[in-house]
Amino acid sequence: MARPRPEPAHPAPPGRPRRFPEGADRAQLIERTLAQYRRYLNPGLARLFQFGGVETVEWAAEGCLVWDVHGREYIDCACGPAIFNIGHRHPRVLAAVRDQLDRMPMSVRTMPSAPMAALAERLAEVTPGDLQYSFFCNSGAEANEGAIKLARLATGRPGFVVMQEAFHGKTLGALSATGRAYYRTPFEPLVPGFVHVPFGDAAAVEAAIGRDVAAVMLEPIQGEAGVILPPAGYLRQVREICDRRGVLLIADEIQTGLGRTGRMFCVEHEGVVPDILTLAKALGGGVMPIGAFTARPALWERMKRDPYIHSSTFGGNPLACRAALATLDVLVDERLADRAGPLGEQFLGRLRELQARHPAVVKDVRGRGLMLGIEFTHRDYALMTSAEAGHRGVITFYTLNNPQVIRVAPPLVITPALIHRAADGIEEAVAAAEELLGSVGAATEGGS
Ligand SMILES: *Cc1c(COP(=O)(O)O)cnc(C)c1O
């Protein structure tokens, strides 16, 4: 079937980006960095790098491509995850940040900040329905912390209905909403009041809504759970239940938002307007860290009474807000959400062929737009495929709550030609993993 292919929106720049300086000692830098990981930073991660055969250090990036210190080129299909929706180092974001950097990077807070105010207005314009007031912070977990506090403040109720296997971040409040016991148990007791129900089951949501529930909180497509799509109509059903039962709906669009699934926000596929929407990851254009929660006006009454009831020193700083403003402009002007749909179909088509050729290794491929996942029959296949794909110049990564799934989520500016190159690399990696590991999936019970 002939499908019109979008033109490259942000073509790779002429020439190569900054290479590792001639004469400098690469081997020494790599060795020292890994030793520092082992000794001062994260020994477990150092081991993981070693297992994956990662004998290098990242060096430069541009558009959809990343280079290591050896000058080897990688197609970024992990996006860190999902932070490079507009590609690495988009020139419009760099220009905005440089302009602000040369003038006033951080706010004194005693005078109004024009970039922060402009970003709040811009978010009200691009978010669905009557979402209007925003608060800015520095990460996804913080955005969800703020949303949780706002829901309690606005309703006077402490409880939340959240989803099993959900990922909302790892600070204590966000972790309380996160649905994987592995990350939760060592830190208990967590914030009380969170009830976890199966994702995709609207009746379970309804049954869990008791008298003290402030909000239902969910990801429209679960990312770290392994790219899990709910049944069609689920979001609309949950919205209807929330309305009927008088509780708020919080949509965590930190991974699904900003064009990733083929719409600016994933809830728009079902015409749903949440009461609070949280963002982070791609909002800073892959240049600055920034998070936000945006809410309907009625929820903001208590926030209006005390301007410091919730605050953050660096949240909404001018550098981050200029980056976010430029990012939203790029997403709209380059129609990147519209690209994600057909490009995602192309990529998913290649992954389906891959599944058909390797049924013993690949259990399922799925996704929406350019938020795709490959589920393997065993987690070792996922780990090995990700490592082997890296050796072939394709960056992927397993999902945090489900190591049996690797995420395929390239920048939305990727081209059809690069998708084929990436898919070739992944296919070779799957074949290599199958050969290296043999029938590990058949020998042991599933993954996890
Ligand atoms: C990554 C992520 C978070 C947490 O964001 P951090 O910036 O890592 O704190 C929260 N929710 C979802 C859906 C995410 O994918």
Side-chain angles (χ1 to χ4, degrees):
M1 184 174 63
R3 193 193 309 278
R5 283 176 174 178
E7 287 304 305
H10 173 39
R16 311 262 288 179
R18 259 167 254 184
R19 281 169 158 279
F20 193 74
E22 288 300 326
D25 193 338
R26 285 187 186 84
Q28 194 196 28
L29 177 69
I30 295 165
E31 202 176 303
R32 189 173 54 218
T33 304
L34 285 171
Q36 286 161 334
Y37 266 73
R38 272 193 298 275
R39 200 139 177 215
Y40 302 107
L41 189 59
N42 194 331
L45 197 50
R47 256 199 320 276
L48 204 61
F49 286 141
Q50 201 176 0
F51 171 79
V54 181
E55 284 154 10
T56 190
V57 170
E58 61 184 7
W59 186 253
E62 192 85 49
C64 301
L65 303 176
V66 172
W67 289 268
D68 68 9
V69 284
H70 300 293
R72 284 190 299 236
E73 186 173 288
Y74 302 82
I75 304 171
D76 187 359
C77 285
C79 279
I83 76 171
F84 301 109
N85 287 12
I86 66 169
H88 291 260
R89 301 182 73 248
H90 195 289
R92 287 175 72 179
V93 179
L94 292 185
V97 169
R98 282 190 182 121
D99 176 64
Q100 191 65 42
L101 184 65
D102 288 341
R103 193 151 46 74
M104 187 166 189
M106 291 292 139
S107 171
V108 294
R109 298 277 179 192
T110 55
M111 285 179 265
S113 161
M116 181 153 67
L119 179 59
E121 180 178 19
R122 195 81 182 92
L123 270 185
E125 284 166 8
V126 298
T127 49
D130 58 348
L131 289 167
Q132 182 177 332
Y133 282 98
S134 289
F135 179 91
F136 297 107
C137 50
N138 310 287
S139 69
E142 272 178 90
N144 287 332
E145 294 287 339
I148 289 165
K149 284 178 68 181
L150 176 62
R152 283 187 168 179
L153 193 69
T155 63
R157 298 189 293 260
F160 293 86
V161 176
V162 290
M163 305 300 146
Q164 291 169 5
E165 302 306 320
F167 188 85
H168 296 296
K170 289 179 181 166
T171 54
L172 281 176
L175 186 61
S176 306
T178 289
R180 192 179 183 210
Y182 178 79
Y183 290 125
R184 296 163 47 85
T185 312
F187 305 101
E188 285 171 346
L190 295 171
V191 178
F194 288 79
V195 175
H196 290 82
V197 302
F199 182 61
D201 181 349
V205 170
E206 170 119 50
I209 295 178
R211 218 186 270 268
D212 63 351
V213 167
V216 174
M217 180 169 180
L218 51 74
E219 302 155 85
I221 293 174
Q222 288 191 321
E224 301 306 323
V227 190
I228 309 294
L229 286 78
Y234 172 71
L235 298 176
R236 256 201 315 274
Q237 285 172 328
V238 172
R239 176 72 271 183
E240 185 273 321
I241 291 165
C242 290
D243 287 340
R244 189 156 39 73
R245 303 291 298 273
V247 305
L248 304 174
L249 175 61
I250 303 173
D252 176 344
E253 291 252 18
I254 289 165
Q255 192 164 146
T256 52
L258 304 173
R260 174 58 56 192
T261 69
R263 302 292 293 264
M264 191 63 140
F265 300 98
C266 192
V267 289
E268 291 177 275
H269 287 292
E270 294 201 4
V272 162
V273 181
D275 298 285
I276 309 173
L277 184 143
T278 60
L279 286 175
K281 294 217 162 104
L283 184 59
V287 173
M288 291 299 299
I290 181 169
F293 58 94
T294 302
R296 294 177 135 164
L299 274 64
W300 221 259
E301 286 309 313
R302 287 287 302 280
M303 299 279 269
K304 282 182 197 161
R305 263 183 264 157
D306 180 351
Y308 290 115
I309 193 148
H310 189 65
S311 64
S312 161
T313 299
F314 287 126
N317 67 74
L319 277 182
C321 288
R322 288 293 301 277
L325 279 163
T327 300
L328 293 174
D329 284 348
V330 169
L331 282 163
V332 170
D333 293 351
E334 298 186 10
R335 304 176 61 88
L336 294 184
D338 293 344
R339 283 175 70 82
L343 289 172
E345 280 300 312
Q346 184 200 341
F347 215 146
L348 193 57
R350 285 293 312 266
L351 297 182
R352 287 204 180 100
E353 293 168 21
L354 168 77
Q355 183 190 2
R357 279 195 283 268
H358 301 275
V361 176
V362 179
K363 188 169 167 191
D364 189 28
V365 296
R366 55 178 173 261
R368 187 156 207 181
L370 282 168
M371 183 171 179
L372 305 172
I374 307 173
E375 181 167 351
F376 291 83
T377 53
H378 191 280
R379 64 181 293 180
D380 288 355
Y381 285 134
L383 287 171
M384 187 63 86
T385 296
S386 196
E388 290 294 322
H391 300 325
R392 288 162 178 79
V394 183
I395 302 174
T396 59
F397 196 64
Y398 64 81
T399 53
L400 281 182
N401 285 357
N402 187 349
Q404 216 164 319
V405 175
I406 62 174
R407 179 199 340 271
V408 178
L412 313 183
V413 295
I414 196 167
T415 60
L418 270 184
I419 285 177
H420 279 300
R421 229 174 87 193
D424 289 344
I426 292 169
E427 170 119 36
E428 284 174 28
V430 168
E434 186 165 22
E435 197 179 313
L436 284 163
L437 290 171
S439 54
V440 64
T444 49
E445 242 313 284
S448 161

PDB file of all heavy atoms in Angstrom, residues 61-82:
ATOM      1  N   ALA A  61      25.803  14.867  19.703  1.00  0.00           N
ATOM      2  CA  ALA A  61      24.505  14.460  19.144  1.00  0.00           C
ATOM      3  C   ALA A  61      23.941  15.565  18.269  1.00  0.00           C
ATOM      4  O   ALA A  61      24.253  16.750  18.461  1.00  0.00           O
ATOM      5  CB  ALA A  61      23.525  14.138  20.274  1.00  0.00           C
ATOM      6  N   GLU A  62      23.138  15.140  17.310  1.00  0.00           N
ATOM      7  CA  GLU A  62      22.524  16.092  16.373  1.00  0.00           C
ATOM      8  C   GLU A  62      21.334  15.396  15.723  1.00  0.00           C
ATOM      9  O   GLU A  62      21.488  14.288  15.208  1.00  0.00           O
ATOM     10  CB  GLU A  62      23.556  16.456  15.299  1.00  0.00           C
ATOM     11  CG  GLU A  62      23.191  17.617  14.432  1.00  0.00           C
ATOM     12  CD  GLU A  62      23.596  18.937  15.086  1.00  0.00           C
ATOM     13  OE1 GLU A  62      24.748  19.055  15.538  1.00  0.00           O
ATOM     14  OE2 GLU A  62      22.742  19.820  15.146  1.00  0.00           O
ATOM     15  N   GLY A  63      20.172  16.039  15.750  1.00  0.00           N
ATOM     16  CA  GLY A  63      19.002  15.442  15.100  1.00  0.00           C
ATOM     17  C   GLY A  63      18.686  14.077  15.671  1.00  0.00           C
ATOM     18  O   GLY A  63      18.432  13.936  16.864  1.00  0.00           O
ATOM     19  N   CYS A  64      18.712  13.041  14.830  1.00  0.00           N
ATOM     20  CA  CYS A  64      18.409  11.675  15.282  1.00  0.00           C
ATOM     21  C   CYS A  64      19.668  10.883  15.605  1.00  0.00           C
ATOM     22  O   CYS A  64      19.594   9.696  15.899  1.00  0.00           O
ATOM     23  CB  CYS A  64      17.646  10.921  14.189  1.00  0.00           C
ATOM     24  SG  CYS A  64      16.107  11.718  13.757  1.00  0.00           S
ATOM     25  N   LEU A  65      20.821  11.512  15.491  1.00  0.00           N
ATOM     26  CA  LEU A  65      22.074  10.771  15.588  1.00  0.00           C
ATOM     27  C   LEU A  65      22.885  11.142  16.825  1.00  0.00           C
ATOM     28  O   LEU A  65      22.833  12.283  17.295  1.00  0.00           O
ATOM     29  CB  LEU A  65      22.924  11.025  14.334  1.00  0.00           C
ATOM     30  CG  LEU A  65      22.254  10.666  13.002  1.00  0.00           C
ATOM     31  CD1 LEU A  65      23.159  11.050  11.836  1.00  0.00           C
ATOM     32  CD2 LEU A  65      21.894   9.185  12.952  1.00  0.00           C
ATOM     33  N   VAL A  66      23.616  10.159  17.319  1.00  0.00           N
ATOM     34  CA  VAL A  66      24.488  10.331  18.480  1.00  0.00           C
ATOM     35  C   VAL A  66      25.851   9.779  18.089  1.00  0.00           C
ATOM     36  O   VAL A  66      25.930   8.803  17.341  1.00  0.00           O
ATOM     37  CB  VAL A  66      23.924   9.548  19.696  1.00  0.00           C
ATOM     38  CG1 VAL A  66      24.904   9.555  20.859  1.00  0.00           C
ATOM     39  CG2 VAL A  66      22.573  10.120  20.133  1.00  0.00           C
ATOM     40  N   TRP A  67      26.922  10.405  18.548  1.00  0.00           N
ATOM     41  CA  TRP A  67      28.272   9.894  18.291  1.00  0.00           C
ATOM     42  C   TRP A  67      28.980   9.639  19.609  1.00  0.00           C
ATOM     43  O   TRP A  67      28.804  10.387  20.583  1.00  0.00           O
ATOM     44  CB  TRP A  67      29.091  10.909  17.482  1.00  0.00           C
ATOM     45  CG  TRP A  67      28.635  11.023  16.070  1.00  0.00           C
ATOM     46  CD1 TRP A  67      29.104  10.325  15.002  1.00  0.00           C
ATOM     47  CD2 TRP A  67      27.617  11.896  15.559  1.00  0.00           C
ATOM     48  NE1 TRP A  67      28.433  10.699  13.855  1.00  0.00           N
ATOM     49  CE2 TRP A  67      27.524  11.659  14.162  1.00  0.00           C
ATOM     50  CE3 TRP A  67      26.761  12.852  16.130  1.00  0.00           C
ATOM     51  CZ2 TRP A  67      26.618  12.346  13.351  1.00  0.00           C
ATOM     52  CZ3 TRP A  67      25.860  13.524  15.332  1.00  0.00           C
ATOM     53  CH2 TRP A  67      25.793  13.266  13.951  1.00  0.00           C
ATOM     54  N   ASP A  68      29.791   8.578  19.640  1.00  0.00           N
ATOM     55  CA  ASP A  68      30.586   8.316  20.837  1.00  0.00           C
ATOM     56  C   ASP A  68      32.002   8.863  20.629  1.00  0.00           C
ATOM     57  O   ASP A  68      32.296   9.470  19.595  1.00  0.00           O
ATOM     58  CB  ASP A  68      30.565   6.823  21.199  1.00  0.00           C
ATOM     59  CG  ASP A  68      31.294   5.947  20.188  1.00  0.00           C
ATOM     60  OD1 ASP A  68      31.970   6.487  19.284  1.00  0.00           O
ATOM     61  OD2 ASP A  68      31.186   4.712  20.306  1.00  0.00           O
ATOM     62  N   VAL A  69      32.858   8.664  21.635  1.00  0.00           N
ATOM     63  CA  VAL A  69      34.207   9.235  21.551  1.00  0.00           C
ATOM     64  C   VAL A  69      35.028   8.632  20.413  1.00  0.00           C
ATOM     65  O   VAL A  69      35.987   9.243  19.954  1.00  0.00           O
ATOM     66  CB  VAL A  69      35.021   9.077  22.864  1.00  0.00           C
ATOM     67  CG1 VAL A  69      34.565  10.069  23.899  1.00  0.00           C
ATOM     68  CG2 VAL A  69      34.955   7.658  23.390  1.00  0.00           C
ATOM     69  N   HIS A  70      34.643   7.430  19.958  1.00  0.00           N
ATOM     70  CA  HIS A  70      35.364   6.833  18.829  1.00  0.00           C
ATOM     71  C   HIS A  70      34.904   7.402  17.498  1.00  0.00           C
ATOM     72  O   HIS A  70      35.444   7.042  16.456  1.00  0.00           O
ATOM     73  CB  HIS A  70      35.155   5.312  18.806  1.00  0.00           C
ATOM     74  CG  HIS A  70      35.638   4.619  20.036  1.00  0.00           C
ATOM     75  ND1 HIS A  70      36.969   4.540  20.375  1.00  0.00           N
ATOM     76  CD2 HIS A  70      34.970   3.990  21.032  1.00  0.00           C
ATOM     77  CE1 HIS A  70      37.094   3.887  21.521  1.00  0.00           C
ATOM     78  NE2 HIS A  70      35.894   3.548  21.932  1.00  0.00           N
ATOM     79  N   GLY A  71      33.867   8.266  17.539  1.00  0.00           N
ATOM     80  CA  GLY A  71      33.316   8.796  16.294  1.00  0.00           C
ATOM     81  C   GLY A  71      32.310   7.842  15.665  1.00  0.00           C
ATOM     82  O   GLY A  71      31.881   8.037  14.529  1.00  0.00           O
ATOM     83  N   ARG A  72      31.941   6.791  16.389  1.00  0.00           N
ATOM     84  CA  ARG A  72      30.930   5.862  15.868  1.00  0.00           C
ATOM     85  C   ARG A  72      29.553   6.505  15.955  1.00  0.00           C
ATOM     86  O   ARG A  72      29.232   7.185  16.923  1.00  0.00           O
ATOM     87  CB  ARG A  72      30.941   4.550  16.667  1.00  0.00           C
ATOM     88  CG  ARG A  72      32.114   3.665  16.313  1.00  0.00           C
ATOM     89  CD  ARG A  72      31.962   2.282  16.945  1.00  0.00           C
ATOM     90  NE  ARG A  72      31.906   2.375  18.384  1.00  0.00           N
ATOM     91  CZ  ARG A  72      32.753   1.717  19.209  1.00  0.00           C
ATOM     92  NH1 ARG A  72      33.693   0.945  18.736  1.00  0.00           N
ATOM     93  NH2 ARG A  72      32.630   1.846  20.511  1.00  0.00           N
ATOM     94  N   GLU A  73      28.735   6.234  14.928  1.00  0.00           N
ATOM     95  CA  GLU A  73      27.435   6.887  14.810  1.00  0.00           C
ATOM     96  C   GLU A  73      26.316   5.947  15.249  1.00  0.00           C
ATOM     97  O   GLU A  73      26.342   4.762  14.927  1.00  0.00           O
ATOM     98  CB  GLU A  73      27.235   7.266  13.341  1.00  0.00           C
ATOM     99  CG  GLU A  73      26.012   8.080  13.060  1.00  0.00           C
ATOM    100  CD  GLU A  73      26.003   8.534  11.603  1.00  0.00           C
ATOM    101  OE1 GLU A  73      26.815   9.410  11.255  1.00  0.00           O
ATOM    102  OE2 GLU A  73      25.195   7.991  10.835  1.00  0.00           O
ATOM    103  N   TYR A  74      25.348   6.490  15.971  1.00  0.00           N
ATOM    104  CA  TYR A  74      24.201   5.707  16.436  1.00  0.00           C
ATOM    105  C   TYR A  74      22.911   6.424  16.049  1.00  0.00           C
ATOM    106  O   TYR A  74      22.837   7.651  16.131  1.00  0.00           O
ATOM    107  CB  TYR A  74      24.202   5.581  17.964  1.00  0.00           C
ATOM    108  CG  TYR A  74      25.437   4.949  18.545  1.00  0.00           C
ATOM    109  CD1 TYR A  74      26.600   5.699  18.749  1.00  0.00           C
ATOM    110  CD2 TYR A  74      25.442   3.609  18.913  1.00  0.00           C
ATOM    111  CE1 TYR A  74      27.735   5.122  19.293  1.00  0.00           C
ATOM    112  CE2 TYR A  74      26.568   3.029  19.464  1.00  0.00           C
ATOM    113  CZ  TYR A  74      27.717   3.788  19.645  1.00  0.00           C
ATOM    114  OH  TYR A  74      28.835   3.218  20.191  1.00  0.00           O
ATOM    115  N   ILE A  75      21.905   5.651  15.654  1.00  0.00           N
ATOM    116  CA  ILE A  75      20.560   6.213  15.504  1.00  0.00           C
ATOM    117  C   ILE A  75      19.881   6.114  16.869  1.00  0.00           C
ATOM    118  O   ILE A  75      19.839   5.035  17.461  1.00  0.00           O
ATOM    119  CB  ILE A  75      19.731   5.439  14.463  1.00  0.00           C
ATOM    120  CG1 ILE A  75      20.474   5.403  13.120  1.00  0.00           C
ATOM    121  CG2 ILE A  75      18.357   6.073  14.295  1.00  0.00           C
ATOM    122  CD1 ILE A  75      19.828   4.473  12.103  1.00  0.00           C
ATOM    123  N   ASP A  76      19.364   7.217  17.366  1.00  0.00           N
ATOM    124  CA  ASP A  76      18.762   7.232  18.695  1.00  0.00           C
ATOM    125  C   ASP A  76      17.313   6.769  18.634  1.00  0.00           C
ATOM    126  O   ASP A  76      16.428   7.522  18.259  1.00  0.00           O
ATOM    127  CB  ASP A  76      18.838   8.642  19.290  1.00  0.00           C
ATOM    128  CG  ASP A  76      18.376   8.660  20.739  1.00  0.00           C
ATOM    129  OD1 ASP A  76      17.982   7.592  21.245  1.00  0.00           O
ATOM    130  OD2 ASP A  76      18.419   9.736  21.360  1.00  0.00           O
ATOM    131  N   CYS A  77      17.082   5.514  19.001  1.00  0.00           N
ATOM    132  CA  CYS A  77      15.708   5.003  19.044  1.00  0.00           C
ATOM    133  C   CYS A  77      15.208   4.851  20.472  1.00  0.00           C
ATOM    134  O   CYS A  77      14.192   4.210  20.721  1.00  0.00           O
ATOM    135  CB  CYS A  77      15.614   3.661  18.322  1.00  0.00           C
ATOM    136  SG  CYS A  77      15.652   3.840  16.532  1.00  0.00           S
ATOM    137  N   ALA A  78      15.931   5.437  21.434  1.00  0.00           N
ATOM    138  CA  ALA A  78      15.480   5.376  22.823  1.00  0.00           C
ATOM    139  C   ALA A  78      15.090   6.762  23.300  1.00  0.00           C
ATOM    140  O   ALA A  78      14.150   6.944  24.059  1.00  0.00           O
ATOM    141  CB  ALA A  78      16.585   4.826  23.712  1.00  0.00           C
ATOM    142  N   CYS A  79      15.808   7.756  22.829  1.00  0.00           N
ATOM    143  CA  CYS A  79      15.489   9.146  23.151  1.00  0.00           C
ATOM    144  C   CYS A  79      15.487   9.416  24.637  1.00  0.00           C
ATOM    145  O   CYS A  79      14.772  10.282  25.123  1.00  0.00           O
ATOM    146  CB  CYS A  79      14.161   9.571  22.543  1.00  0.00           C
ATOM    147  SG  CYS A  79      14.297  10.024  20.831  1.00  0.00           S
ATOM    148  N   GLY A  80      16.193   8.672  25.357  1.00  0.00           N
ATOM    149  CA  GLY A  80      16.623   9.047  26.688  1.00  0.00           C
ATOM    150  C   GLY A  80      15.800   8.937  27.940  1.00  0.00           C
ATOM    151  O   GLY A  80      16.311   9.327  28.929  1.00  0.00           O
ATOM    152  N   PRO A  81      14.598   8.418  28.060  1.00  0.00           N
ATOM    153  CA  PRO A  81      13.659   7.977  27.028  1.00  0.00           C
ATOM    154  C   PRO A  81      12.644   9.075  26.709  1.00  0.00           C
ATOM    155  O   PRO A  81      12.162   9.760  27.599  1.00  0.00           O
ATOM    156  CB  PRO A  81      12.943   6.822  27.717  1.00  0.00           C
ATOM    157  CG  PRO A  81      12.925   7.215  29.170  1.00  0.00           C
ATOM    158  CD  PRO A  81      14.067   8.165  29.402  1.00  0.00           C
ATOM    159  N   ALA A  82      12.402   9.209  25.438  1.00  0.00           N
ATOM    160  CA  ALA A  82      11.328  10.093  24.960  1.00  0.00           C
ATOM    161  C   ALA A  82      11.554  11.563  25.301  1.00  0.00           C
ATOM    162  O   ALA A  82      10.598  12.315  25.459  1.00  0.00           O
ATOM    163  CB  ALA A  82       9.971   9.619  25.479  1.00  0.00           C
TER     164      ALA A  82
END
